[in-house]
Amino acid sequence: MNDPGIICYQHCQKKEKVFSFNLPDICNFCNAELSNTELRIPPFRIPYPFRDAAKEPNSIVIKPTYGDFLNNYRNSSDLHIGVTDSTGFIYEYDVNGVVKGKNQTWFQCLPIKVIDRMNSSLKQYWDKILYNVFIQNSWTADRYDSEKHNCYSFVLTFLKSLNLQELHPYLKDKTIFCQKFVSPQARVAAKYICLFRQLKNQSIVVQ
């Protein structure tokens, strides 16, 4: 699913913001015609947090192991993590072993930029190290273990292999990595998911 287009606006209420898929003709609170009155907060689109991984080069990418974020994800759902190269190919490790490709299962992912600025030489270096990790014999299907040797193991091995000083403090284990890079993005995504699901069942949400 592409961006469903959630908008936010405020009319006559002093504090509450209104969220909807479409701007109604009439205010839900005072019944004024919105086209002929000034809005306290003009309509703006809530940023859509999900992206197609193939269009997010040199990124860490995360998606639910099963289904997608908007319709299937729950707090208890398992997440799957991978890495994209400079051309948008996704490298991932799971029960089938390590694979490289572009497929529709990554069309709605959370991209994470662990490096703020990527010049051409750093992109080439990223790709080289990623490929070197990809061809290691550690990532076969028979060695996969859902707890000890999984997709996070692959990603952390790659990031450690980059040997970039700025990343070292956050690569000691999965927990520290998630606290630094995954959790902030996940919180934003969770708010969007909650809002989207509420609006599927009602015309507006007031907060």
Side-chain angles (χ1 to χ4, degrees), residues 2 10 15 27 29 64 67 74 92 94 97-98 123 134 143 151 158 173 178 180 184:
N2 294 324
Q10 186 184 84
K15 296 181 179 179
C27 175
F29 303 103
R74 298 291 183 272
E92 55 183 308
D94 59 17
V98 68
K123 290 179 181 179
F134 171 73
R143 293 191 178 190
C151 56
F158 160 67
D173 57 42
C178 287
K180 170 62 179 179

Side-chain angles (χ1 to χ4, degrees), residues 9 12 56 63 78 99 130 196:
Y9 64 94
C12 59
E56 295 294 326
K63 70 179 184 68
D78 290 333
V99 295
L130 180 55
F196 170 79

